[in-house]
């Protein structure tokens, strides 16, 4: 018996469906959907981050004592994300570079890689929203590449950095119905996730798949 291949993204144990393997996908459709959702959130995230970057970072006490270091003109953690990025590797022998990489740098690296491998032109504008939109259109091809798991991890880490700064609460709620595969009451729904996921067997479901399963159970 030939075992179905497993999605190559980190911590995903979902078996690839027949139609996914026939499409030469190396990651499962739910993980592909996650990447699409993360990229589609970039425009709204940039609005929040740019507003937040204008808020002055305050450190130290609020008394009358003086300081030799003037306050920063904005929040340093936010400025790191929305700032410009170098187009080449940065050598930092003294460890002066701290904080998250700029979003334009993270997205731009993947755009350059795909452009090189597919001999394509990138977006007309080298900005976060344009880069994210361009990458969204390339996800189908990217899901077939051996580095698709690295792209998934990079976008995941980028998204968590955004949410950490923007103070976006991500809620996970239990679903009061059994998993169609393992029959355990371990299904959950998470904000911004289009799939309902089982914490026991690791299977992910669309709302249509859950509705079909409910109809089968009702008819049984």
């Amino acid at each position: 018996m030939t075992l179905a291949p497993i999605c190559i993204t980190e911590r995903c144990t979902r078996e690839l469906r027949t139609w996914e393997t026939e499409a030469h996908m190396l990651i499962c459709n739910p993980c592909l959907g996650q990447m699409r959702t993360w990229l589609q959130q970039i425009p709204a995230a940039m609005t929040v981050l740019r507003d937040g970057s204008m808020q002055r970072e305050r450190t130290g006490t609020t008394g009358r004592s003086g300081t030799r270091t003037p306050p920063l003109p904005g929040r340093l953690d936010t400025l790191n994300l929305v700032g410009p990025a170098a187009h080449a590797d940065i050598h930092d022998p003294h460890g002066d570079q701290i904080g998250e990489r700029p979003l334009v740098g993270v997205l731009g690296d993947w755009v350059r890689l795909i452009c090189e491998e597919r001999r394509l032109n990138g977006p007309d504008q080298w900005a976060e929203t344009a880069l994210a939109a361009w990458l969204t259109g390339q996800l189908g091809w990217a899901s077939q590449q051996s580095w698709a798991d690295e792209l998934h991890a990079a976008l995941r880490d980028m998204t968590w950095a955004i949410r950490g700064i923007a103070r976006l609460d991500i809620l996970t709620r239990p679903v009061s119905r059994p998993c169609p595969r393992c029959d355990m009451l371990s299904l959950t729904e998470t904000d911004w996730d289009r799939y309902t996921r089982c914490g026991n067997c690791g299977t992910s479901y669309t709302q249509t798949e859950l509705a079909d399963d409910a109809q089968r159970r009702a008819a049984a």
Side-chain angles (χ1 to χ4, degrees):
M1 178 178 180
T2 302
L3 297 178
I6 303 296
C7 173
I8 65 173
T9 58
E10 185 181 8
R11 293 192 295 272
C12 183
T13 59
R14 180 180 179 275
E15 294 181 353
L16 297 179
R17 305 295 191 260
T18 301
W19 71 267
E20 292 169 339
T21 57
E22 290 177 349
H24 306 292
M25 295 171 61
L26 299 179
I27 66 175
C28 65
N29 197 56
C31 286
L32 181 61
Q34 280 185 323
M35 292 195 291
R36 185 174 291 109
T37 298
W38 294 334
L39 288 171
Q40 290 173 345
Q41 292 172 0
I42 291 296
M46 291 309 301
T47 300
V48 175
L49 290 174
R50 292 196 187 281
D51 287 346
S53 69
M54 299 304 295
Q55 303 300 317
R56 176 168 294 183
E57 185 173 49
R58 299 178 179 179
T59 58
T61 63
T62 57
R64 292 179 175 271
S65 59
T67 177
R68 295 181 180 181
T69 304
L72 292 172
R75 288 186 53 184
L76 182 59
D77 55 356
T78 310
L79 291 171
N80 279 339
L81 284 182
V82 302
H87 294 297
D89 292 338
I90 299 298
H91 300 285
D92 182 28
H94 303 294
D96 295 327
Q97 302 297 319
I98 60 174
E100 300 290 343
R101 285 195 66 207
L103 302 183
V104 70
V106 175
L107 298 172
D109 285 349
W110 289 102
V111 168
R112 290 190 189 92
L113 173 64
I114 295 174
C115 285
E116 291 175 1
E117 294 197 2
R118 302 200 73 185
R119 299 184 181 276
L120 298 175
N121 294 322
D124 294 334
Q125 295 182 335
W126 207 259
E128 295 89 350
T129 53
L131 293 168
W134 191 91
L135 276 176
T136 300
Q138 299 296 321
L139 288 179
W141 178 83
S143 69
Q144 303 169 348
Q145 309 309 308
S146 60
W147 42 256
D149 57 332
E150 298 178 39
L151 174 58
H152 183 275
L155 296 181
R156 179 200 62 213
D157 293 345
M158 179 192 69
T159 301
W160 281 104
I162 293 172
R163 292 174 180 174
I165 292 175
R167 301 295 189 267
L168 297 175
D169 293 330
I170 304 171
L171 301 178
T172 297
R173 297 166 294 278
V175 177
S176 57
R177 54 156 300 156
C179 170
R181 181 177 184 181
C182 68
D183 217 38
M184 298 292 290
L185 292 173
S186 51
L187 294 177
T188 58
E189 294 177 337
T190 302
D191 291 342
W192 296 297
D193 191 343
R194 296 187 300 170
Y195 291 87
T196 298
R197 301 177 185 271
C198 178
N200 180 61
C201 68
T203 308
S204 304
Y205 303 96
T206 64
Q207 291 301 315
T208 300
E209 290 172 332
L210 290 178
D212 291 343
D213 178 71
Q215 292 179 353
R216 286 192 295 268
R217 289 175 183 269

